[in-house]
Amino acid sequence: MKPTFQLTIAILAITFFTACAEAGKVNESEANNNLFTGLIIGQQQGKSSVIDSLAEIRGYWKGGFCSGGSCTSFTSNVSIVQDPSGFGIWASGNSYLRIIAVDTVNRTFIYQYLPTDAWSPNKYTKVIWTEPKTVGCENSASKCFYYCTVFPNFATLAEAENVNLSTYSSADPTRTGCGGFGWSKALFVSSNPTNW
């Protein structure tokens, strides 16, 4: 074989292999745009799915405490709402906390404290709730539900998701079942809270 012919074959082979290696590749800028678009869409779907999952308890409520067979002191404000940025929010008293996970089958959600929280910065808390009822609600409320905050606050989301809830029970929420105490109770005020 002549050297020119061998060189031509080598050049064609290199060109062929290079073309095959480049086939199907996406421009880096285009790939980054696709990733950014996917993240935004995923974030929007995540926001709506969290707040939609809380439809049965979404709204503004007055929270009280249960002990010894009765529930009293309905003085705290409890809001389960969507904030202006679209995320689900648990606002109770002066706390304003982002809901980051919801399990509608087991009626639990997890919220996270802000990094600036004085007591539990960046920690996670799981809340259990019961199906809202329209009977047995104090102060002539049209509906109510019980809820229990699982303690302690968790360092990671995985710990909060996987906490053992076998000792928690809503069988007698006015007396016990929430970490050795009665549950809290929320009385319905409005579907659309105006302040948190």
Side-chain angles (χ1 to χ4, degrees):
M1 236 189 234
K2 293 187 178 184
T4 312
F5 184 68
Q6 289 175 336
L7 183 60
T8 303
I9 297 239
I11 291 173
L12 286 173
I14 291 170
T15 304
F16 175 76
F17 289 122
T18 302
C20 288
E22 294 297 316
K25 286 191 175 178
V26 177
N27 174 300
E28 182 180 359
S29 176
E30 183 181 340
N32 288 338
N33 285 338
N34 290 341
L35 176 62
F36 181 71
T37 301
L39 290 173
I40 293 294
I41 291 169
Q43 186 180 44
Q44 294 301 322
Q45 291 172 344
K47 287 192 285 189
S48 64
S49 67
V50 165
I51 199 64
D52 290 347
S53 298
L54 293 167
E56 73 177 4
I57 58 171
R58 188 175 176 177
Y60 174 55
W61 309 76
K62 282 292 187 180
F65 301 97
C66 302
S67 178
S70 64
C71 303
T72 59
S73 303
F74 292 99
T75 56
S76 66
N77 297 322
V78 176
S79 294
I80 300 103
V81 296
Q82 189 166 347
D83 75 3
S85 67
F87 285 93
I89 296 296
W90 168 264
S92 179
N94 294 327
S95 298
Y96 177 89
L97 308 156
R98 182 172 283 173
I99 298 168
I100 57 172
V102 180
D103 177 351
T104 55
V105 173
N106 295 304
R107 286 194 167 90
T108 65
F109 64 84
I110 298 170
Y111 61 74
Q112 184 178 23
Y113 287 91
L114 297 172
T116 55
D117 186 81
W119 309 107
S120 298
N122 296 315
K123 292 204 174 174
Y124 301 86
T125 296
K126 182 172 260 188
V127 176
I128 311 165
W129 82 88
T130 64
E131 181 180 5
K133 303 290 182 191
T134 57
V135 295
C137 303
E138 292 82 351
N139 301 342
S140 302
S142 60
K143 63 181 173 177
C144 55
F145 69 94
Y146 294 97
Y147 63 97
C148 172
T149 304
V150 178
F151 286 105
N153 296 322
F154 302 95
T156 68
L157 176 59
E159 288 175 350
E161 288 174 329
N162 298 311
V163 63
N164 182 349
L165 298 177
S166 63
T167 60
Y168 290 82
S169 170
S170 61
D172 189 5
T174 62
R175 295 180 190 281
T176 188
C178 182
F181 299 95
W183 289 48
S184 297
K185 192 171 187 180
L187 305 179
F188 183 73
V189 176
S190 168
S191 294
N192 299 305
T194 54
N195 58 40
W196 325 349

